[in-house]
Amino acid sequence: MQIPAAFDYARADSVEHALELLEQHGPESRLIAGGHSLLPMMKLRLARPEWLVDINDLHELDFISEDAEVLRIGALTRHATLLESDVIARLFAIITDAEHVIADPVVRNRGTIGGSLCQADPAEDLSTVCHVLSAEVVIRGRSGERTLSMADLHRGPYETAVAQDEILTEIRLPVRPRFGSAYEKVERRVGDWAIVAAGAAVSLAGDGSIEQARVGLTAVGLDSGTVTRAEEALRGGRPSEELFVEAARLAGEDCSPDSDQRGPVDYKRHLADELTRRVLRRACRRAAEQGAEQTCRLP
Amino acid sequence: MQIAMTVNGEQVTRDAEPRVLLVHFIREVLGLTGTHTGCDTSNCGVCVVLMDGKPVKSCTVLAAMAAGHDVRTVEGLAKNGTLDPVQQGFMEEHGLQCGFCTPGMMLTARALLDSNPHPDDHQIREAISGQICRCTGYATIVRSVHWAANHAAEEVPG
Ligand SMILES: Cc1cc2nc3c(=O)[nH]c(=O)nc-3n(C[C@H](O)[C@H](O)[C@H](O)COP(=O)(O)OP(=O)(O)OC[C@H]3O[C@@H](n4cnc5c(N)ncnc54)[C@H](O)[C@@H]3O)c2cc1C
Ligand code: FES
Ligand code: FES
């Protein structure tokens, strides 16, 4: 039977209160959100906090809010809420795509976006998604707030820039016109972590060429979060099968997967290549559709 | 610490260590052994209970985190001696063999039907996709949930 080692428990009723509790109980205190990464680690003694500060009552961090230029998502927003959100499906279909294949519906009732990003597991789907969407995260401490890019948030596997006495409060996603995004994952069985997954986001210029492109891969040892050479190859080009094939080839080359129980290196490279093609096709199609809708809405 | 929550409509308060998992609180502290424990690793779903109406894996929730919430276990499905349509459906359509996964499956089915009274095959399979059954091959579970959907209990006030 797996049970965590003994610890003390406190429940925060506001962000300020959570920060006070972290300060008061010192370096061995830790936040718990959905608990679906932390509790399994505590059962295995991979984590052994002396205090847990429960933030599940912080409804102020459970929101999705849209304004003209940015979509803000509260850190405590659950996977299930993201999956069901119409705003998200409309603006950032990549999140909806990913949420369909993150864990299973029961786990999704608990796990949060903030917990996912702070866990920084190399196979975390939402990390790739947020990299691809050029997300910024807001981190609050006792002395104030700072905003970081995903590249600055993630320092390596299981390592983030969030200090022990800080809390990630929200994720900000820039909203762009003629924008499309997509995610696809191959897993061994339903609910499992990715063998490999790919995400892409593109915005199209008025003439239909690719203005900006981001391509990200999950679980293949990509330090920078996205595949720079593939992105460069796409920029300025017209969406076409040849272009997708070339960008995907670069993505397959530039990742550095390890061979493990989920598959050998060559298979993972093959998946990185194939999945990149698929998400590029879908992201470009969605961008074109969104562009067409926006044009129709003009007077 | 003192942990107070509502379980199957009844307010309970018990003393338990903060590290006690909800599944052990339910089984060992409250003695409600209808909730099962299997993998311990959030994978099998035999420990599923409803928390505020939503299925959760109770091996991955602390009892302390459930404090103040409304928890429903398989013991809370039948009302006044009448089986929930989901329970009846599992009987009618042979939704169980050994019964190990059954409490969790039935609670997830209940939550699904509460939000979507007439799910199709795909929606049922999706809803139970985080729960493993080693006996039935799932087909009879899906049929059982359809049976329950087609025999929804008449709303009895109170
Ligand atoms: C069976 C199973 C399958 C899964 N499959 C997948 C999958 O396929 N893909 C995938 O991406 N994920 C998967 N997950 C992980 C799931 O998405 C988790 O919910 C997620 O990793 C962590 O979210 P959480 O809210 O549960 O975080 P917690 O476990 O509560 O916390 C994780 C870490 O983040 C810290 N933390 C949490 N919130 C904050 C905050 N607001 N500010 C600062 N620090 C914070 C905690 O201190 C802890 O260190 C799976 C999990 C399980 C149990
Ligand atoms: S015992 Fe909880 S999921 Fe298996
Ligand atoms: S009936 Fe035996 S595991 Fe489902």
PDB file of all heavy atoms in Angstrom, chain B residues 67-104:
ATOM      1  N   ALA B  67     -12.298  17.531   2.943  1.00  0.00           N
ATOM      2  CA  ALA B  67     -13.044  18.123   4.060  1.00  0.00           C
ATOM      3  C   ALA B  67     -13.900  19.274   3.560  1.00  0.00           C
ATOM      4  O   ALA B  67     -13.451  20.068   2.722  1.00  0.00           O
ATOM      5  CB  ALA B  67     -12.080  18.596   5.142  1.00  0.00           C
ATOM      6  N   GLY B  68     -15.136  19.332   4.042  1.00  0.00           N
ATOM      7  CA  GLY B  68     -16.045  20.385   3.621  1.00  0.00           C
ATOM      8  C   GLY B  68     -16.766  20.071   2.320  1.00  0.00           C
ATOM      9  O   GLY B  68     -17.616  20.840   1.880  1.00  0.00           O
ATOM     10  N   HIS B  69     -16.418  18.954   1.700  1.00  0.00           N
ATOM     11  CA  HIS B  69     -17.038  18.614   0.422  1.00  0.00           C
ATOM     12  C   HIS B  69     -18.079  17.503   0.585  1.00  0.00           C
ATOM     13  O   HIS B  69     -18.190  16.875   1.630  1.00  0.00           O
ATOM     14  CB  HIS B  69     -15.960  18.197  -0.586  1.00  0.00           C
ATOM     15  CG  HIS B  69     -15.084  19.344  -0.987  1.00  0.00           C
ATOM     16  ND1 HIS B  69     -15.370  20.176  -2.037  1.00  0.00           N
ATOM     17  CD2 HIS B  69     -13.940  19.818  -0.431  1.00  0.00           C
ATOM     18  CE1 HIS B  69     -14.443  21.115  -2.122  1.00  0.00           C
ATOM     19  NE2 HIS B  69     -13.556  20.922  -1.163  1.00  0.00           N
ATOM     20  N   ASP B  70     -18.799  17.303  -0.517  1.00  0.00           N
ATOM     21  CA  ASP B  70     -19.874  16.331  -0.531  1.00  0.00           C
ATOM     22  C   ASP B  70     -19.373  15.075  -1.252  1.00  0.00           C
ATOM     23  O   ASP B  70     -19.092  15.122  -2.449  1.00  0.00           O
ATOM     24  CB  ASP B  70     -21.055  16.965  -1.281  1.00  0.00           C
ATOM     25  CG  ASP B  70     -22.245  16.065  -1.303  1.00  0.00           C
ATOM     26  OD1 ASP B  70     -22.486  15.383  -0.281  1.00  0.00           O
ATOM     27  OD2 ASP B  70     -22.928  16.005  -2.338  1.00  0.00           O
ATOM     28  N   VAL B  71     -19.242  13.978  -0.511  1.00  0.00           N
ATOM     29  CA  VAL B  71     -18.688  12.754  -1.084  1.00  0.00           C
ATOM     30  C   VAL B  71     -19.798  11.713  -1.208  1.00  0.00           C
ATOM     31  O   VAL B  71     -20.640  11.578  -0.314  1.00  0.00           O
ATOM     32  CB  VAL B  71     -17.540  12.214  -0.193  1.00  0.00           C
ATOM     33  CG1 VAL B  71     -17.083  10.840  -0.665  1.00  0.00           C
ATOM     34  CG2 VAL B  71     -16.372  13.196  -0.191  1.00  0.00           C
ATOM     35  N   ARG B  72     -19.809  11.011  -2.336  1.00  0.00           N
ATOM     36  CA  ARG B  72     -20.815   9.966  -2.506  1.00  0.00           C
ATOM     37  C   ARG B  72     -20.111   8.677  -2.886  1.00  0.00           C
ATOM     38  O   ARG B  72     -19.276   8.653  -3.801  1.00  0.00           O
ATOM     39  CB  ARG B  72     -21.795  10.385  -3.593  1.00  0.00           C
ATOM     40  CG  ARG B  72     -23.090   9.627  -3.552  1.00  0.00           C
ATOM     41  CD  ARG B  72     -24.098  10.359  -4.414  1.00  0.00           C
ATOM     42  NE  ARG B  72     -25.263   9.522  -4.629  1.00  0.00           N
ATOM     43  CZ  ARG B  72     -26.095   9.653  -5.652  1.00  0.00           C
ATOM     44  NH1 ARG B  72     -25.882  10.587  -6.546  1.00  0.00           N
ATOM     45  NH2 ARG B  72     -27.140   8.849  -5.768  1.00  0.00           N
ATOM     46  N   THR B  73     -20.422   7.615  -2.192  1.00  0.00           N
ATOM     47  CA  THR B  73     -19.824   6.310  -2.486  1.00  0.00           C
ATOM     48  C   THR B  73     -20.930   5.376  -2.981  1.00  0.00           C
ATOM     49  O   THR B  73     -22.105   5.727  -2.970  1.00  0.00           O
ATOM     50  CB  THR B  73     -19.181   5.693  -1.230  1.00  0.00           C
ATOM     51  OG1 THR B  73     -20.227   5.316  -0.319  1.00  0.00           O
ATOM     52  CG2 THR B  73     -18.240   6.688  -0.543  1.00  0.00           C
ATOM     53  N   VAL B  74     -20.519   4.168  -3.341  1.00  0.00           N
ATOM     54  CA  VAL B  74     -21.502   3.219  -3.875  1.00  0.00           C
ATOM     55  C   VAL B  74     -22.613   2.938  -2.852  1.00  0.00           C
ATOM     56  O   VAL B  74     -23.760   2.695  -3.226  1.00  0.00           O
ATOM     57  CB  VAL B  74     -20.798   1.915  -4.327  1.00  0.00           C
ATOM     58  CG1 VAL B  74     -20.210   1.155  -3.139  1.00  0.00           C
ATOM     59  CG2 VAL B  74     -21.731   1.037  -5.139  1.00  0.00           C
ATOM     60  N   GLU B  75     -22.271   3.029  -1.564  1.00  0.00           N
ATOM     61  CA  GLU B  75     -23.291   2.782  -0.531  1.00  0.00           C
ATOM     62  C   GLU B  75     -24.403   3.825  -0.590  1.00  0.00           C
ATOM     63  O   GLU B  75     -25.489   3.608  -0.062  1.00  0.00           O
ATOM     64  CB  GLU B  75     -22.660   2.796   0.870  1.00  0.00           C
ATOM     65  CG  GLU B  75     -21.802   1.579   1.196  1.00  0.00           C
ATOM     66  CD  GLU B  75     -20.337   1.745   0.778  1.00  0.00           C
ATOM     67  OE1 GLU B  75     -20.031   2.714   0.025  1.00  0.00           O
ATOM     68  OE2 GLU B  75     -19.508   0.922   1.189  1.00  0.00           O
ATOM     69  N   GLY B  76     -24.113   4.983  -1.226  1.00  0.00           N
ATOM     70  CA  GLY B  76     -25.106   6.051  -1.293  1.00  0.00           C
ATOM     71  C   GLY B  76     -25.935   6.030  -2.564  1.00  0.00           C
ATOM     72  O   GLY B  76     -26.716   6.939  -2.811  1.00  0.00           O
ATOM     73  N   LEU B  77     -25.762   4.987  -3.394  1.00  0.00           N
ATOM     74  CA  LEU B  77     -26.511   4.967  -4.656  1.00  0.00           C
ATOM     75  C   LEU B  77     -27.978   4.578  -4.463  1.00  0.00           C
ATOM     76  O   LEU B  77     -28.872   5.233  -4.991  1.00  0.00           O
ATOM     77  CB  LEU B  77     -25.848   4.019  -5.662  1.00  0.00           C
ATOM     78  CG  LEU B  77     -24.711   4.598  -6.519  1.00  0.00           C
ATOM     79  CD1 LEU B  77     -24.147   3.518  -7.441  1.00  0.00           C
ATOM     80  CD2 LEU B  77     -25.188   5.793  -7.343  1.00  0.00           C
ATOM     81  N   ALA B  78     -28.212   3.518  -3.713  1.00  0.00           N
ATOM     82  CA  ALA B  78     -29.608   3.088  -3.507  1.00  0.00           C
ATOM     83  C   ALA B  78     -30.301   4.078  -2.587  1.00  0.00           C
ATOM     84  O   ALA B  78     -29.673   4.672  -1.718  1.00  0.00           O
ATOM     85  CB  ALA B  78     -29.636   1.698  -2.890  1.00  0.00           C
ATOM     86  N   LYS B  79     -31.609   4.278  -2.823  1.00  0.00           N
ATOM     87  CA  LYS B  79     -32.361   5.212  -1.967  1.00  0.00           C
ATOM     88  C   LYS B  79     -33.577   4.507  -1.403  1.00  0.00           C
ATOM     89  O   LYS B  79     -34.355   3.934  -2.157  1.00  0.00           O
ATOM     90  CB  LYS B  79     -32.832   6.409  -2.799  1.00  0.00           C
ATOM     91  CG  LYS B  79     -31.695   7.297  -3.251  1.00  0.00           C
ATOM     92  CD  LYS B  79     -31.917   8.760  -2.870  1.00  0.00           C
ATOM     93  CE  LYS B  79     -30.683   9.579  -3.148  1.00  0.00           C
ATOM     94  NZ  LYS B  79     -30.292   9.550  -4.570  1.00  0.00           N
ATOM     95  N   ASN B  80     -33.713   4.551  -0.084  1.00  0.00           N
ATOM     96  CA  ASN B  80     -34.863   3.939   0.600  1.00  0.00           C
ATOM     97  C   ASN B  80     -35.107   2.504   0.132  1.00  0.00           C
ATOM     98  O   ASN B  80     -36.226   2.117  -0.177  1.00  0.00           O
ATOM     99  CB  ASN B  80     -36.142   4.767   0.366  1.00  0.00           C
ATOM    100  CG  ASN B  80     -35.934   6.234   0.713  1.00  0.00           C
ATOM    101  OD1 ASN B  80     -35.266   6.547   1.706  1.00  0.00           O
ATOM    102  ND2 ASN B  80     -36.474   7.126  -0.101  1.00  0.00           N
ATOM    103  N   GLY B  81     -34.031   1.758   0.013  1.00  0.00           N
ATOM    104  CA  GLY B  81     -34.192   0.358  -0.352  1.00  0.00           C
ATOM    105  C   GLY B  81     -34.407   0.109  -1.839  1.00  0.00           C
ATOM    106  O   GLY B  81     -34.545  -1.033  -2.263  1.00  0.00           O
ATOM    107  N   THR B  82     -34.439   1.168  -2.648  1.00  0.00           N
ATOM    108  CA  THR B  82     -34.585   0.978  -4.092  1.00  0.00           C
ATOM    109  C   THR B  82     -33.248   1.222  -4.771  1.00  0.00           C
ATOM    110  O   THR B  82     -32.610   2.245  -4.539  1.00  0.00           O
ATOM    111  CB  THR B  82     -35.615   1.984  -4.668  1.00  0.00           C
ATOM    112  OG1 THR B  82     -36.803   1.870  -3.895  1.00  0.00           O
ATOM    113  CG2 THR B  82     -35.905   1.686  -6.126  1.00  0.00           C
ATOM    114  N   LEU B  83     -32.841   0.288  -5.614  1.00  0.00           N
ATOM    115  CA  LEU B  83     -31.570   0.453  -6.306  1.00  0.00           C
ATOM    116  C   LEU B  83     -31.641   1.630  -7.260  1.00  0.00           C
ATOM    117  O   LEU B  83     -32.696   1.900  -7.851  1.00  0.00           O
ATOM    118  CB  LEU B  83     -31.223  -0.814  -7.092  1.00  0.00           C
ATOM    119  CG  LEU B  83     -30.930  -2.085  -6.289  1.00  0.00           C
ATOM    120  CD1 LEU B  83     -30.572  -3.227  -7.242  1.00  0.00           C
ATOM    121  CD2 LEU B  83     -29.791  -1.865  -5.298  1.00  0.00           C
ATOM    122  N   ASP B  84     -30.500   2.295  -7.416  1.00  0.00           N
ATOM    123  CA  ASP B  84     -30.375   3.323  -8.453  1.00  0.00           C
ATOM    124  C   ASP B  84     -30.527   2.616  -9.807  1.00  0.00           C
ATOM    125  O   ASP B  84     -30.085   1.473  -9.965  1.00  0.00           O
ATOM    126  CB  ASP B  84     -28.989   3.976  -8.334  1.00  0.00           C
ATOM    127  CG  ASP B  84     -28.812   5.168  -9.256  1.00  0.00           C
ATOM    128  OD1 ASP B  84     -28.594   4.946 -10.477  1.00  0.00           O
ATOM    129  OD2 ASP B  84     -28.878   6.304  -8.762  1.00  0.00           O
ATOM    130  N   PRO B  85     -31.107   3.272 -10.796  1.00  0.00           N
ATOM    131  CA  PRO B  85     -31.226   2.641 -12.125  1.00  0.00           C
ATOM    132  C   PRO B  85     -29.880   2.122 -12.640  1.00  0.00           C
ATOM    133  O   PRO B  85     -29.838   1.112 -13.363  1.00  0.00           O
ATOM    134  CB  PRO B  85     -31.747   3.770 -13.011  1.00  0.00           C
ATOM    135  CG  PRO B  85     -32.459   4.699 -12.085  1.00  0.00           C
ATOM    136  CD  PRO B  85     -31.769   4.599 -10.757  1.00  0.00           C
ATOM    137  N   VAL B  86     -28.803   2.780 -12.272  1.00  0.00           N
ATOM    138  CA  VAL B  86     -27.490   2.300 -12.707  1.00  0.00           C
ATOM    139  C   VAL B  86     -27.206   0.924 -12.094  1.00  0.00           C
ATOM    140  O   VAL B  86     -26.747  -0.005 -12.780  1.00  0.00           O
ATOM    141  CB  VAL B  86     -26.382   3.310 -12.322  1.00  0.00           C
ATOM    142  CG1 VAL B  86     -25.008   2.693 -12.510  1.00  0.00           C
ATOM    143  CG2 VAL B  86     -26.501   4.584 -13.161  1.00  0.00           C
ATOM    144  N   GLN B  87     -27.499   0.774 -10.837  1.00  0.00           N
ATOM    145  CA  GLN B  87     -27.277  -0.530 -10.191  1.00  0.00           C
ATOM    146  C   GLN B  87     -28.167  -1.605 -10.818  1.00  0.00           C
ATOM    147  O   GLN B  87     -27.732  -2.715 -11.104  1.00  0.00           O
ATOM    148  CB  GLN B  87     -27.589  -0.423  -8.683  1.00  0.00           C
ATOM    149  CG  GLN B  87     -26.600   0.452  -7.932  1.00  0.00           C
ATOM    150  CD  GLN B  87     -27.027   0.696  -6.492  1.00  0.00           C
ATOM    151  OE1 GLN B  87     -28.102   1.252  -6.248  1.00  0.00           O
ATOM    152  NE2 GLN B  87     -26.202   0.268  -5.551  1.00  0.00           N
ATOM    153  N   GLN B  88     -29.414  -1.220 -11.035  1.00  0.00           N
ATOM    154  CA  GLN B  88     -30.350  -2.156 -11.657  1.00  0.00           C
ATOM    155  C   GLN B  88     -29.856  -2.535 -13.057  1.00  0.00           C
ATOM    156  O   GLN B  88     -29.884  -3.710 -13.437  1.00  0.00           O
ATOM    157  CB  GLN B  88     -31.739  -1.492 -11.731  1.00  0.00           C
ATOM    158  CG  GLN B  88     -32.876  -2.431 -12.057  1.00  0.00           C
ATOM    159  CD  GLN B  88     -33.133  -3.447 -10.935  1.00  0.00           C
ATOM    160  OE1 GLN B  88     -33.041  -3.092  -9.758  1.00  0.00           O
ATOM    161  NE2 GLN B  88     -33.420  -4.696 -11.294  1.00  0.00           N
ATOM    162  N   GLY B  89     -29.369  -1.528 -13.785  1.00  0.00           N
ATOM    163  CA  GLY B  89     -28.855  -1.761 -15.135  1.00  0.00           C
ATOM    164  C   GLY B  89     -27.686  -2.740 -15.130  1.00  0.00           C
ATOM    165  O   GLY B  89     -27.595  -3.626 -15.994  1.00  0.00           O
ATOM    166  N   PHE B  90     -26.788  -2.622 -14.181  1.00  0.00           N
ATOM    167  CA  PHE B  90     -25.639  -3.540 -14.110  1.00  0.00           C
ATOM    168  C   PHE B  90     -26.120  -4.968 -13.835  1.00  0.00           C
ATOM    169  O   PHE B  90     -25.498  -5.932 -14.295  1.00  0.00           O
ATOM    170  CB  PHE B  90     -24.633  -3.078 -13.041  1.00  0.00           C
ATOM    171  CG  PHE B  90     -23.586  -2.126 -13.583  1.00  0.00           C
ATOM    172  CD1 PHE B  90     -23.942  -0.845 -13.989  1.00  0.00           C
ATOM    173  CD2 PHE B  90     -22.256  -2.513 -13.708  1.00  0.00           C
ATOM    174  CE1 PHE B  90     -22.985   0.038 -14.506  1.00  0.00           C
ATOM    175  CE2 PHE B  90     -21.293  -1.647 -14.223  1.00  0.00           C
ATOM    176  CZ  PHE B  90     -21.661  -0.362 -14.621  1.00  0.00           C
ATOM    177  N   MET B  91     -27.238  -5.106 -13.107  1.00  0.00           N
ATOM    178  CA  MET B  91     -27.805  -6.437 -12.884  1.00  0.00           C
ATOM    179  C   MET B  91     -28.456  -6.965 -14.155  1.00  0.00           C
ATOM    180  O   MET B  91     -28.207  -8.087 -14.582  1.00  0.00           O
ATOM    181  CB  MET B  91     -28.859  -6.384 -11.775  1.00  0.00           C
ATOM    182  CG  MET B  91     -28.267  -6.494 -10.389  1.00  0.00           C
ATOM    183  SD  MET B  91     -29.530  -6.226  -9.123  1.00  0.00           S
ATOM    184  CE  MET B  91     -30.677  -7.561  -9.478  1.00  0.00           C
ATOM    185  N   GLU B  92     -29.273  -6.120 -14.765  1.00  0.00           N
ATOM    186  CA  GLU B  92     -30.038  -6.561 -15.940  1.00  0.00           C
ATOM    187  C   GLU B  92     -29.137  -6.944 -17.102  1.00  0.00           C
ATOM    188  O   GLU B  92     -29.398  -7.897 -17.817  1.00  0.00           O
ATOM    189  CB  GLU B  92     -30.986  -5.444 -16.413  1.00  0.00           C
ATOM    190  CG  GLU B  92     -31.991  -4.951 -15.393  1.00  0.00           C
ATOM    191  CD  GLU B  92     -33.078  -5.968 -15.082  1.00  0.00           C
ATOM    192  OE1 GLU B  92     -33.307  -6.864 -15.924  1.00  0.00           O
ATOM    193  OE2 GLU B  92     -33.682  -5.865 -13.982  1.00  0.00           O
ATOM    194  N   GLU B  93     -28.066  -6.165 -17.296  1.00  0.00           N
ATOM    195  CA  GLU B  93     -27.236  -6.338 -18.488  1.00  0.00           C
ATOM    196  C   GLU B  93     -25.892  -7.007 -18.178  1.00  0.00           C
ATOM    197  O   GLU B  93     -24.964  -6.932 -18.972  1.00  0.00           O
ATOM    198  CB  GLU B  93     -27.007  -4.981 -19.180  1.00  0.00           C
ATOM    199  CG  GLU B  93     -28.281  -4.307 -19.665  1.00  0.00           C
ATOM    200  CD  GLU B  93     -28.887  -4.994 -20.893  1.00  0.00           C
ATOM    201  OE1 GLU B  93     -28.250  -5.911 -21.453  1.00  0.00           O
ATOM    202  OE2 GLU B  93     -30.015  -4.623 -21.268  1.00  0.00           O
ATOM    203  N   HIS B  94     -25.780  -7.604 -17.030  1.00  0.00           N
ATOM    204  CA  HIS B  94     -24.548  -8.317 -16.638  1.00  0.00           C
ATOM    205  C   HIS B  94     -23.321  -7.418 -16.731  1.00  0.00           C
ATOM    206  O   HIS B  94     -22.301  -7.810 -17.289  1.00  0.00           O
ATOM    207  CB  HIS B  94     -24.359  -9.572 -17.499  1.00  0.00           C
ATOM    208  CG  HIS B  94     -25.577 -10.431 -17.514  1.00  0.00           C
ATOM    209  ND1 HIS B  94     -25.917 -11.254 -16.463  1.00  0.00           N
ATOM    210  CD2 HIS B  94     -26.576 -10.549 -18.426  1.00  0.00           C
ATOM    211  CE1 HIS B  94     -27.068 -11.846 -16.726  1.00  0.00           C
ATOM    212  NE2 HIS B  94     -27.496 -11.434 -17.905  1.00  0.00           N
ATOM    213  N   GLY B  95     -23.437  -6.215 -16.158  1.00  0.00           N
ATOM    214  CA  GLY B  95     -22.341  -5.249 -16.203  1.00  0.00           C
ATOM    215  C   GLY B  95     -21.190  -5.603 -15.287  1.00  0.00           C
ATOM    216  O   GLY B  95     -20.207  -4.869 -15.235  1.00  0.00           O
ATOM    217  N   LEU B  96     -21.320  -6.705 -14.558  1.00  0.00           N
ATOM    218  CA  LEU B  96     -20.201  -7.089 -13.695  1.00  0.00           C
ATOM    219  C   LEU B  96     -20.017  -8.603 -13.683  1.00  0.00           C
ATOM    220  O   LEU B  96     -20.951  -9.350 -13.934  1.00  0.00           O
ATOM    221  CB  LEU B  96     -20.420  -6.621 -12.251  1.00  0.00           C
ATOM    222  CG  LEU B  96     -21.566  -7.244 -11.468  1.00  0.00           C
ATOM    223  CD1 LEU B  96     -21.221  -7.332 -10.010  1.00  0.00           C
ATOM    224  CD2 LEU B  96     -22.827  -6.430 -11.666  1.00  0.00           C
ATOM    225  N   GLN B  97     -18.760  -8.972 -13.435  1.00  0.00           N
ATOM    226  CA  GLN B  97     -18.481 -10.388 -13.178  1.00  0.00           C
ATOM    227  C   GLN B  97     -17.909 -10.503 -11.768  1.00  0.00           C
ATOM    228  O   GLN B  97     -18.613 -10.821 -10.835  1.00  0.00           O
ATOM    229  CB  GLN B  97     -17.568 -10.955 -14.255  1.00  0.00           C
ATOM    230  CG  GLN B  97     -18.324 -11.080 -15.589  1.00  0.00           C
ATOM    231  CD  GLN B  97     -17.468 -11.596 -16.711  1.00  0.00           C
ATOM    232  OE1 GLN B  97     -16.503 -12.318 -16.513  1.00  0.00           O
ATOM    233  NE2 GLN B  97     -17.816 -11.231 -17.929  1.00  0.00           N
ATOM    234  N   CYS B  98     -16.619 -10.166 -11.578  1.00  0.00           N
ATOM    235  CA  CYS B  98     -16.073 -10.260 -10.219  1.00  0.00           C
ATOM    236  C   CYS B  98     -16.539  -9.120  -9.331  1.00  0.00           C
ATOM    237  O   CYS B  98     -16.541  -9.221  -8.120  1.00  0.00           O
ATOM    238  CB  CYS B  98     -14.548 -10.324 -10.246  1.00  0.00           C
ATOM    239  SG  CYS B  98     -13.769  -8.712 -10.470  1.00  0.00           S
ATOM    240  N   GLY B  99     -16.888  -7.975  -9.939  1.00  0.00           N
ATOM    241  CA  GLY B  99     -17.410  -6.859  -9.161  1.00  0.00           C
ATOM    242  C   GLY B  99     -16.366  -5.896  -8.624  1.00  0.00           C
ATOM    243  O   GLY B  99     -16.710  -4.918  -7.957  1.00  0.00           O
ATOM    244  N   PHE B 100     -15.100  -6.157  -8.921  1.00  0.00           N
ATOM    245  CA  PHE B 100     -14.057  -5.326  -8.318  1.00  0.00           C
ATOM    246  C   PHE B 100     -14.105  -3.884  -8.835  1.00  0.00           C
ATOM    247  O   PHE B 100     -13.979  -2.932  -8.079  1.00  0.00           O
ATOM    248  CB  PHE B 100     -12.671  -5.940  -8.595  1.00  0.00           C
ATOM    249  CG  PHE B 100     -11.586  -5.371  -7.726  1.00  0.00           C
ATOM    250  CD1 PHE B 100     -11.681  -5.455  -6.334  1.00  0.00           C
ATOM    251  CD2 PHE B 100     -10.483  -4.753  -8.278  1.00  0.00           C
ATOM    252  CE1 PHE B 100     -10.691  -4.920  -5.518  1.00  0.00           C
ATOM    253  CE2 PHE B 100      -9.488  -4.212  -7.468  1.00  0.00           C
ATOM    254  CZ  PHE B 100      -9.590  -4.302  -6.093  1.00  0.00           C
ATOM    255  N   CYS B 101     -14.330  -3.726 -10.137  1.00  0.00           N
ATOM    256  CA  CYS B 101     -14.346  -2.378 -10.723  1.00  0.00           C
ATOM    257  C   CYS B 101     -15.706  -1.714 -10.577  1.00  0.00           C
ATOM    258  O   CYS B 101     -15.860  -0.530 -10.867  1.00  0.00           O
ATOM    259  CB  CYS B 101     -14.004  -2.460 -12.216  1.00  0.00           C
ATOM    260  SG  CYS B 101     -15.324  -3.241 -13.193  1.00  0.00           S
ATOM    261  N   THR B 102     -16.724  -2.500 -10.188  1.00  0.00           N
ATOM    262  CA  THR B 102     -18.121  -2.086 -10.329  1.00  0.00           C
ATOM    263  C   THR B 102     -18.509  -0.818  -9.560  1.00  0.00           C
ATOM    264  O   THR B 102     -19.182   0.052 -10.133  1.00  0.00           O
ATOM    265  CB  THR B 102     -19.052  -3.262  -9.972  1.00  0.00           C
ATOM    266  OG1 THR B 102     -18.539  -4.438 -10.604  1.00  0.00           O
ATOM    267  CG2 THR B 102     -20.466  -3.007 -10.434  1.00  0.00           C
ATOM    268  N   PRO B 103     -18.115  -0.678  -8.289  1.00  0.00           N
ATOM    269  CA  PRO B 103     -18.533   0.548  -7.588  1.00  0.00           C
ATOM    270  C   PRO B 103     -18.062   1.803  -8.317  1.00  0.00           C
ATOM    271  O   PRO B 103     -18.847   2.744  -8.513  1.00  0.00           O
ATOM    272  CB  PRO B 103     -17.853   0.421  -6.220  1.00  0.00           C
ATOM    273  CG  PRO B 103     -17.643  -1.048  -6.040  1.00  0.00           C
ATOM    274  CD  PRO B 103     -17.357  -1.590  -7.413  1.00  0.00           C
ATOM    275  N   GLY B 104     -16.812   1.812  -8.746  1.00  0.00           N
ATOM    276  CA  GLY B 104     -16.274   2.974  -9.461  1.00  0.00           C
ATOM    277  C   GLY B 104     -16.977   3.185 -10.784  1.00  0.00           C
ATOM    278  O   GLY B 104     -17.316   4.310 -11.166  1.00  0.00           O
TER     279      GLY B 104
END
